Amino acid sequence: MVRFEVLEKVGPDVKCKCTDPGILLPCANLNLWRDGYLVREKNVTLPTISSKDWVDIDFGISEGVDFIAVSFVKSPDVIKHLKSYVAARSPDRSIGVIAKIEDANSLRCLDDIIRVSDGVMVARGDLGAQIPLEQVPSVQEAIIDACRKLNRPVIVASQLLESMIEYPTPTRAEVADVSNAVRQQADALMLSGESAMGLHPQKAVEVLRGVSVRMEHWSREESHHEKPPLPEISTSDTGRTSEQICNSATQIANKLGADAILVYTRRGYMASLISRNRPDCPIFAFTESRNVMRCMDLQWGVVPFQFAFRKDLESNLLQSLALLKAHCMVRSGNLVVAVSDVSSASQSGTGVLQSIQVHVLS
């Protein structure tokens, strides 16, 4: 937000002239440009995670956070290192690691970073200072597409409703920006300054929700959403089976005009596969783990519930449908598609029954 021109080097310091004045905050991120190009090498040697960050990470682990987001990720090694550290400090509880894409170096190894992460954030504020501004929209769309192909949730953040830090209504350009992120089918949108220090945090959230819901309805009603074929991501036989079941369940739901897809999952994996297909109806996911339930909140279209599984799928269906009816989320006459990967007990032993069922509610 502030720009300086370097006039001369004086020992370890540089003497500068301020060409674009503004407020220079403590610990501000500095980007060095020469002849219109970013001098990336100057930032490569800086540590991604500082000593203070490690203290904050330990605090987050002790407080039981669901995710830790890492800023200025330059390579997948940073994510691997942090995940190993978190796993050692929190062996009994899974904590996801989200890579914030806001460094030009991260774009060089984007797919590798996405694969080792539990989610990605398109942090457009700093990213827009690292690459030419006109490239930010296309880079955002490319990151969203890459995350969907690799089955990782993606968050679009920074400056969505920037003017609402001061004013009670957004600009029309900001509304269009939010709509575009929804049209690109990002999993989540995140407010920053609007809710952290803005004068109208509740209104900002209401605007974000209203615009997002309207855009999703318009896309479904007018069939403006594109659904290109997705590449196969599973390598194991069990994974490929789950993937094909979820792909088929989504196709069945869309072709039959289903009112909901119900997913019964312990780890949240099948819910993520259904979400990856971006079906035309809501996804209600049921799991026994509170941690898994909260993490599924990040995935596109998923409404998660903590739910004590019964011995068989039929019992799970009856209990979960009664729960949804009580919340007015489904009603008699609705058609639902149910998908399960929950272990089932039988006389022959215990196994994993992966299935698809179609029900018309009475």
Side-chain angles (χ1 to χ4, degrees):
M1 305 304 291
V2 186
R3 185 167 297 187
F4 299 90
E5 179 184 350
V6 177
L7 301 179
E8 62 175 318
K9 182 179 178 183
V10 183
D13 303 322
V14 289
K15 184 178 179 180
C16 301
K17 174 185 177 183
C18 183
T19 57
D20 292 325
I23 299 175
L24 183 62
L25 298 174
C27 302
N29 181 47
L30 301 179
N31 298 291
L32 307 178
W33 294 74
R34 180 182 293 119
D35 300 327
Y37 295 95
L38 182 68
V39 185
R40 297 175 181 172
E41 290 74 15
K42 297 296 182 182
N43 292 325
V44 169
T45 58
L46 298 177
T48 299
I49 303 177
S50 68
S51 56
K52 180 185 180 301
D53 293 334
W54 287 114
V55 175
D56 294 338
I57 289 167
D58 285 336
F59 174 76
I61 293 173
S62 68
E63 291 297 308
V65 298
D66 295 306
F67 294 99
I68 295 173
V70 187
S71 297
F72 297 102
V73 175
K74 301 181 181 69
S75 73
D77 294 335
V78 175
I79 303 297
K80 292 177 183 178
H81 179 44
L82 178 55
K83 291 183 75 170
S84 298
Y85 181 84
V86 171
R89 291 298 184 99
S90 180
D92 301 326
R93 187 176 182 278
S94 176
I95 297 178
V97 176
I98 293 177
K100 294 179 69 177
I101 306 300
E102 51 191 339
D103 189 288
N105 294 289
S106 62
L107 298 177
R108 300 175 179 178
C109 50
L110 180 62
D111 283 3
D112 293 333
I113 291 174
I114 294 173
R115 286 190 181 95
V116 300
S117 303
D118 299 300
V120 167
M121 182 185 296
V122 188
R124 304 179 306 173
D126 285 300
L127 183 62
Q130 292 265 323
I131 64 175
L133 288 173
E134 63 272 16
Q135 293 182 13
V136 173
S138 58
V139 168
Q140 171 180 309
E141 186 164 5
I143 295 172
I144 292 173
D145 289 344
C147 287
R148 186 181 173 195
K149 289 176 181 177
L150 296 171
N151 196 30
R152 296 292 187 275
V154 56
I155 308 163
V156 174
S158 304
Q159 301 175 339
L160 287 168
L161 300 171
E162 187 80 358
S163 67
M164 292 193 74
I165 292 178
E166 297 183 35
Y167 303 106
T169 57
T171 67
R172 305 307 175 260
E174 288 168 342
V175 171
D177 179 39
V178 171
S179 298
N180 187 53
V182 175
R183 183 190 61 80
Q184 292 172 350
Q185 297 187 323
D187 289 86
L189 308 180
M190 191 186 85
L191 299 176
S192 300
E194 301 94 328
S195 54
M197 64 178 185
L199 300 178
H200 312 281
Q202 183 173 340
K203 285 186 177 181
V205 174
E206 290 171 354
V207 168
L208 187 67
R209 174 177 172 78
V211 174
S212 300
V213 170
R214 180 66 192 95
M215 187 63 189
E216 286 189 347
H217 286 171
W218 178 78
S219 296
R220 287 170 176 164
E221 291 169 0
E222 303 296 329
S223 299
H224 287 293
H225 54 299
E226 298 178 1
K227 295 184 178 179
L230 295 170
E232 189 174 280
I233 56 174
S234 302
T235 55
S236 66
D237 290 340
T238 302
R240 282 196 292 269
T241 301
S242 298
E243 193 173 334
Q244 292 304 318
I245 284 177
C246 291
N247 293 345
S248 300
T250 303
Q251 292 176 7
I252 291 171
N254 288 343
K255 289 182 178 179
L256 295 180
D259 297 285
I261 298 177
L262 277 57
V263 187
Y264 303 89
T265 178
R266 296 195 186 277
R267 298 180 295 112
Y269 181 61
M270 290 194 80
S272 73
L273 291 174
I274 293 286
S275 173
R276 179 179 184 242
N277 282 279
R278 305 299 195 252
D280 291 334
C281 59
I283 306 164
F284 298 119
F286 300 89
T287 183
E288 291 184 313
S289 167
R290 184 169 181 80
N291 177 224
V292 171
M293 179 196 72
R294 290 205 299 256
C295 290
M296 287 194 296
D297 248 331
L298 188 58
Q299 295 167 355
W300 186 97
V302 175
V303 181
F305 293 88
Q306 188 176 12
F307 183 81
F309 289 136
R310 274 60 177 179
K311 292 182 178 180
D312 57 83
L313 180 58
E314 296 301 323
S315 298
N316 287 331
L317 270 170
L318 291 175
Q319 294 295 326
S320 58
L321 288 172
L323 175 64
L324 293 175
K325 284 183 177 180
H327 286 82
C328 299
M329 292 180 170
V330 297
R331 60 179 184 270
S332 298
N334 282 172
L335 186 147
V336 300
V337 176
V339 181
S340 174
D341 67 350
V342 177
S343 301
S344 59
S346 64
Q347 294 180 350
S348 60
T350 301
V352 177
L353 176 63
Q354 295 181 316
S355 62
I356 305 174
Q357 294 189 17
V358 178
H359 290 263
V360 178
L361 306 188
S362 57

